[in-house]
Amino acid sequence: MEQYRNMLQTLSKIPPTGESFLLLSQDVGMKIYNRFSIRRQLQGSHMDRIRSLYNEYVQLLSKEGQISCLLPRELWENSEHEKFGGSCSPRVHSTWPRSLLVQLGTHLVELMVQTIKLKNNMFSPRSEPKLIPVLYHMYSFRSTRQIGLIKPHPIYSQMLLDAGETLLTFETSVMPMRCPPLPWTSPHFGAYLLSPSKLMRSGEGAVQHQLLLEKSSPGQLFPVLDSLNQLGICAWRINKPVLDIIVSIFNDKGSEKLDIPPPLSEAPAFPLQNTGSLSSWDKLSYQKEQARCRKKAAEMYSLRMDALYKLSIANHLRDQIFWFPHNMDFRGRTYPCPPYFNHLGSDVTRALLLFAEGRPLGPNGLDWLKTHLINLTGLKKKNSLQERKQYAEEIMDDILDSADRPLTGRKWWMEADEPWQTLACCMEVANASRSPDPTKYISHFPVHQDGSCNGLQHYAALGRDEIGAKSVNLMPSETPQDVYSGVAQQVEGFRQIDAKKGIKIAQVLEGFIGRKVVKQTVMTVVYGVTRYGGRLQIEKRLREMDSFPQEYVWEASHYLVQQVFSSLKEMFSGTRSIQHWLTESARMISKSGNTVEWVTPLGLPIIQPYHRSKSVMFHSNLQTVHVTNKNDANARPDTMKQKNAFPPNFIHSLDSTHMMLTALHCHRFAGNSLFLCTVNQYYSISPSS
């Protein structure tokens, strides 16, 4: 019965444009595996022990700070030893390989195609009634590759649209938890009580990470596990006033300016005309316009569904307290397990979240909220913190108007870089400033703090580069330094020199080189972005400028990416040499037949999973399926990927170590008053901290 329920849920989520047969099969196979794992857990005799331990663990957590300063892992282990004399973690079971998941899913998708039918005359009663398949298998080109698609019949898609089904069904493992997560005590145990979870995320077919973790000496992983537990026990709740405003705009055709995706009814009209009388050139233009409209419609549908998922989950949790269990990727970077809705999402998602536990603002809290508000607007980037606070006080009328009349007032908040977080902060500042005593106002508002281009910070520290360190705020300074503006200024200097030499593209770019144009490339160059990738990033920024002559976009982006790389080479003299040393080391290691491995300062063992790809082929009744594994440890290392990926992966591992150490430091000195939440290394703190 559960298999049929899974298949029907999958059927309702297939978009009208179709879904890849391979991805659909893998998704169905994974659903079956998750159900199997949960049932196996429930049948084990250890479940009663875990239930008993968990009840005691939650009671101890609620008293934390009153009985001891033990870490969550230590609380759990102490209870284990007191009640049962040792560990009662469930027996470790091997996971199903991807090829098995795909084969199982393929069989079930075939059943869906063969057996699920509907009447063909549902919208035309005069037609002769007969049963037709709900799903069809077809082939289509994605880029230059031909892939198999499972596509729903238009009648079925119209039925779903007309039904207006409002119930969304999610796997428990993709939802925030309504109770504190299990503490990670080993590579096999933690996070969810029943759903299978991995301490370390890995690519399909990669087992080397898990083997490396299991070989670690006792206690070596404790700092890593404890930092993940610190992130996971932070409780959250929904900012209901902001949610209600976002939902009202979502239901009223959305707003691209405010990052609320519009419905498909707002998609560009599909061109319809008789192509018989068109010339070959006009036919080609017509086909390109059709393709553009199809692509735009598909993008709008995807964004709309993504927003629907996030808002539906937020609305479901609007009166609840919830938690985000965390795990990490193979470099040690931490992520919340729930993928759709978490504190590392977009501006919209972040604005919807508050800490469940508040803290008094204290004597400086309101000032920090005002400073944070100006940071969110993107204004005053070059001004000192004191000047930003003063500016907030100067525009207090706009701040209060935004809080009181967000959709009918002057709408100052809508012009901010992060409009929804700005609005949420306006409301918090208004509530705090209007309270009888702002120092005693209980704030639940998370203040996000971001490093100044973390990758460049690590390279500057590794190379003891004082000039580079100053530009990314590793050296004392009266005003915050902005490396992106610095690079933009230097690139503008190069452009002026070239313009005087008569170089046409340098003259065209006059007035268009700014911080926003170069920021993404500067940010990602230390993580391995190539000149080609950097050119695409700059091209996207230039296309967003209505006043820039679009016929020069390719030439301008090609010119600018060269100047950005040259500027970074001058500003961060040691970065390129360190990158080169790391790349050359990885090349020699992989050439010898070994993969690159290292251990972070916190004791986390890391191995790069890049190997030459192997493909497994099997036949189904619908099509031949190729399952590619690029992470098979028995295959030879992929030298190109090993050497190109090592510098950014190494920096990522240092970045994650820094974050984990900060989390442990917060627990040691501040208990639960400060929680650090990261994927892009954003640190969330309560204002009183």
Side-chain angles (χ1 to χ4, degrees):
M1 189 66 185
E2 282 189 57
Q3 286 87 336
Y4 292 116
R5 190 182 303 120
N6 288 333
M7 286 192 286
L8 289 174
Q9 289 175 6
T10 301
L11 178 64
S12 65
K13 292 184 178 180
I14 299 176
T17 53
E19 182 62 274
S20 161
F21 177 65
L22 177 60
L23 293 179
L24 191 62
S25 299
Q26 183 174 311
D27 179 62
V28 173
M30 182 58 73
K31 281 184 168 64
I32 300 300
Y33 170 73
N34 288 339
R35 290 286 192 278
F36 168 77
S37 299
I38 291 172
R39 180 165 292 185
R40 183 174 57 190
Q41 286 273 74
L42 290 171
Q43 290 174 347
S45 59
H46 68 277
M47 205 60 221
D48 290 336
R49 291 185 173 188
I50 290 180
R51 186 182 294 111
S52 172
L53 274 173
Y54 182 76
N55 289 334
E56 184 173 322
Y57 169 71
V58 172
Q59 293 297 321
L60 292 173
L61 272 185
S62 66
K63 298 176 182 176
E64 190 177 353
Q66 300 175 26
I67 57 170
S68 70
C69 23
L70 293 176
L71 292 155
R73 173 186 54 79
E74 295 171 327
L75 290 173
W76 181 272
E77 290 176 342
N78 285 354
S79 297
E80 272 186 324
H81 284 282
E82 288 174 9
K83 297 193 74 167
F84 304 110
S87 174
C88 64
S89 299
R91 187 163 60 90
V92 178
H93 297 276
S94 59
T95 57
W96 295 354
R98 185 190 180 204
S99 57
L100 177 60
L101 294 174
V102 172
Q103 283 181 283
L104 174 61
T106 297
H107 176 66
L108 294 175
V109 172
E110 285 177 3
L111 286 177
M112 292 167 67
V113 172
Q114 293 167 5
T115 59
I116 303 178
K117 300 181 185 296
L118 53 73
K119 292 182 180 179
N120 69 325
N121 64 342
M122 299 192 72
F123 296 109
S124 52
R126 295 181 181 179
S127 302
E128 182 181 350
K130 66 176 181 178
L131 293 177
I132 57 174
V134 169
L135 298 177
Y136 289 86
H137 178 267
M138 59 182 293
Y139 289 96
S140 179
F141 280 94
R142 294 285 172 88
S143 186
T144 58
R145 293 189 309 119
Q146 187 184 45
I147 64 168
L149 285 180
I150 299 296
K151 192 170 183 179
H153 195 283
I155 293 178
Y156 174 74
S157 298
Q158 189 62 45
M159 281 173 54
L160 284 183
L161 190 63
D162 293 345
E165 177 57 62
T166 58
L167 180 66
L168 291 174
T169 305
F170 295 97
E171 294 285 321
T172 54
S173 57
V174 304
M175 291 288 288
M177 293 183 69
R178 299 262 298 277
C179 56
L182 289 173
W184 286 106
T185 59
S186 74
H188 305 289
F189 184 78
Y192 295 106
L193 281 78
L194 288 174
S195 297
S197 53
K198 285 184 175 182
L199 173 65
M200 185 172 280
R201 304 178 181 198
S202 57
E204 299 295 344
V207 297
Q208 51 269 56
H209 309 297
Q210 192 67 28
L211 295 175
L212 207 58
L213 292 173
E214 291 170 1
K215 290 178 183 176
S216 301
S217 59
Q220 179 182 339
L221 295 178
F222 284 172
V224 173
L225 300 179
D226 292 337
S227 63
L228 288 171
N229 294 335
Q230 283 302 112
L231 301 177
I233 62 170
C234 179
W236 300 83
R237 63 183 178 88
I238 296 297
N239 189 332
K240 290 188 279 189
V242 174
L243 173 62
D244 291 337
I245 295 170
I246 293 175
V247 169
S248 69
I249 294 177
F250 181 84
N251 291 333
D252 187 26
K253 297 188 177 181
S255 168
E256 290 191 354
K257 177 183 177 182
L258 296 176
D259 201 24
I260 308 296
L264 273 180
S265 59
E266 302 301 303
F270 198 76
L272 295 174
Q273 65 181 94
N274 183 8
T275 58
S277 60
L278 296 178
S279 65
S280 299
W281 178 259
D282 289 337
K283 280 184 181 179
L284 181 61
S285 300
Y286 175 67
Q287 289 168 355
K288 284 183 177 180
E289 181 62 17
Q290 282 187 317
R292 187 191 70 82
C293 290
R294 279 194 296 266
K295 182 182 178 184
K296 180 66 175 177
E299 289 173 351
M300 289 178 65
Y301 178 84
S302 177
L303 291 171
R304 182 76 173 178
M305 291 302 101
D306 181 65
L308 177 63
Y309 282 12
K310 288 179 169 62
L311 295 178
S312 298
I313 293 172
N315 194 55
H316 178 70
L317 297 169
R318 64 182 298 133
D319 297 313
Q320 308 291 334
I321 293 175
F322 51 91
W323 288 260
F324 298 119
H326 282 65
N327 62 3
M328 58 187 171
D329 67 12
F330 76 91
R331 303 163 300 184
R333 290 183 73 84
T334 62
Y335 300 85
C337 297
Y340 299 122
F341 181 75
N342 58 61
H343 51 80
L344 301 179
S346 64
D347 172 49
V348 172
T349 310
R350 292 184 178 200
L352 290 172
L353 287 166
L354 297 171
F355 288 129
E357 184 179 356
R359 289 284 189 274
L361 281 180
N364 301 316
L366 182 55
D367 288 344
W368 279 113
L369 275 178
K370 293 175 181 177
T371 302
H372 175 57
L373 174 58
I374 302 306
N375 291 344
L376 290 170
T377 66
L379 305 170
K380 307 297 179 182
K381 289 181 181 291
K382 297 181 181 180
N383 295 71
S384 67
L385 298 178
Q386 180 62 28
E387 290 170 334
R388 297 180 198 187
K389 180 176 76 73
Q390 289 174 354
Y391 179 69
E393 291 168 352
E394 291 170 7
I395 60 167
M396 188 56 70
D397 284 346
D398 286 328
I399 294 171
L400 297 177
D401 177 74
S402 296
D404 297 337
R405 300 182 299 156
L407 299 181
T408 58
R410 295 192 291 271
K411 304 177 185 179
W412 169 83
W413 63 277
M414 290 187 181
E415 304 305 318
D417 283 358
E418 309 283 358
W420 289 109
Q421 290 179 84
T422 300
L423 175 60
C425 198
C426 285
M427 293 178 172
E428 188 72 2
V429 169
N431 292 336
S433 60
R434 289 166 175 168
S435 65
D437 184 354
T439 64
K440 295 180 180 178
Y441 174 78
I442 304 299
S443 177
H444 298 258
F445 196 79
V447 175
H448 297 272
Q449 292 184 327
D450 184 19
S452 303
C453 196
N454 298 28
L456 285 175
Q457 286 182 330
H458 285 292
Y459 273 119
L462 286 170
R464 303 296 191 268
D465 180 359
E466 290 193 14
I467 297 175
K470 185 175 181 180
S471 67
V472 288
N473 295 303
L474 288 186
M475 301 287 286
S477 175
E478 285 295 321
T479 57
Q481 301 298 304
D482 181 19
V483 64
Y484 310 115
S485 296
V487 172
Q489 289 171 5
Q490 195 157 16
V491 170
E492 172 61 16
F494 295 154
R495 185 206 64 79
Q496 290 176 3
I497 294 171
D498 290 341
K500 290 177 181 177
K501 293 178 181 177
I503 297 175
K504 175 67 174 177
I505 193 61
Q507 296 170 345
V508 170
L509 279 165
E510 183 176 358
F512 291 104
I513 298 176
R515 181 182 189 273
K516 189 175 181 180
V517 172
V518 304
K519 179 180 178 180
Q520 188 179 12
T521 306
V522 173
M523 188 188 303
T524 54
V525 72
V526 294
Y527 294 123
V529 74
T530 61
R531 289 178 187 262
Y532 173 76
R535 191 199 67 76
L536 292 177
Q537 293 169 344
I538 293 173
E539 177 184 324
K540 186 176 181 181
R541 300 286 85 80
L542 293 175
R543 290 196 183 280
E544 291 172 354
M545 298 180 181
D546 295 334
S547 57
F548 186 79
Q550 296 300 300
E551 66 271 20
Y552 289 102
V553 163
W554 190 94
E555 189 179 356
S557 60
H558 182 73
Y559 171 83
L560 285 177
V561 75
Q562 292 178 333
Q563 305 308 322
V564 169
F565 273 68
S566 299
S567 174
L568 286 171
K569 190 173 182 180
E570 283 190 18
M571 293 179 66
F572 294 86
S573 55
T575 297
R576 280 297 177 186
S577 59
I578 295 172
Q579 282 182 320
H580 176 74
W581 185 88
L582 293 171
T583 302
E584 188 62 19
S585 299
R587 186 189 67 81
M588 291 190 289
I589 291 169
S590 56
K591 278 289 187 182
S592 69
N594 297 297
T595 50
V596 180
E597 300 180 33
W598 69 98
V599 178
T600 70
L602 211 54
L604 179 67
I606 295 177
I607 181 171
Q608 294 197 144
Y610 313 119
H611 294 263
R612 295 181 183 177
S613 60
K614 284 186 175 181
S615 184
V616 177
M617 181 181 71
F618 58 87
H619 299 279
S620 73
N621 293 330
L622 296 178
Q623 71 174 68
T624 300
V625 178
H626 296 266
V627 179
T628 303
N629 184 1
K630 299 180 180 180
N631 304 307
D632 187 351
N634 296 317
R636 283 188 60 81
D638 185 326
T639 301
M640 185 65 70
K641 285 190 176 180
Q642 288 283 340
K643 74 181 185 71
N644 288 341
F646 181 43
N649 284 341
F650 182 69
I651 295 300
H652 276 304
S653 73
L654 294 181
D655 213 22
S656 69
T657 300
H658 184 206
M659 187 280 301
M660 289 180 176
L661 285 168
T662 308
L664 295 174
H665 178 87
C666 294
H667 172 80
R668 180 181 177 188
F669 291 100
N672 282 342
S673 65
L674 186 148
F675 289 92
L676 189 138
C677 314
T678 179
V679 122
N680 294 321
Q681 306 318 106
Y682 280 90
Y683 305 136
S684 298
I685 63 174
S686 65
S688 61
S689 300

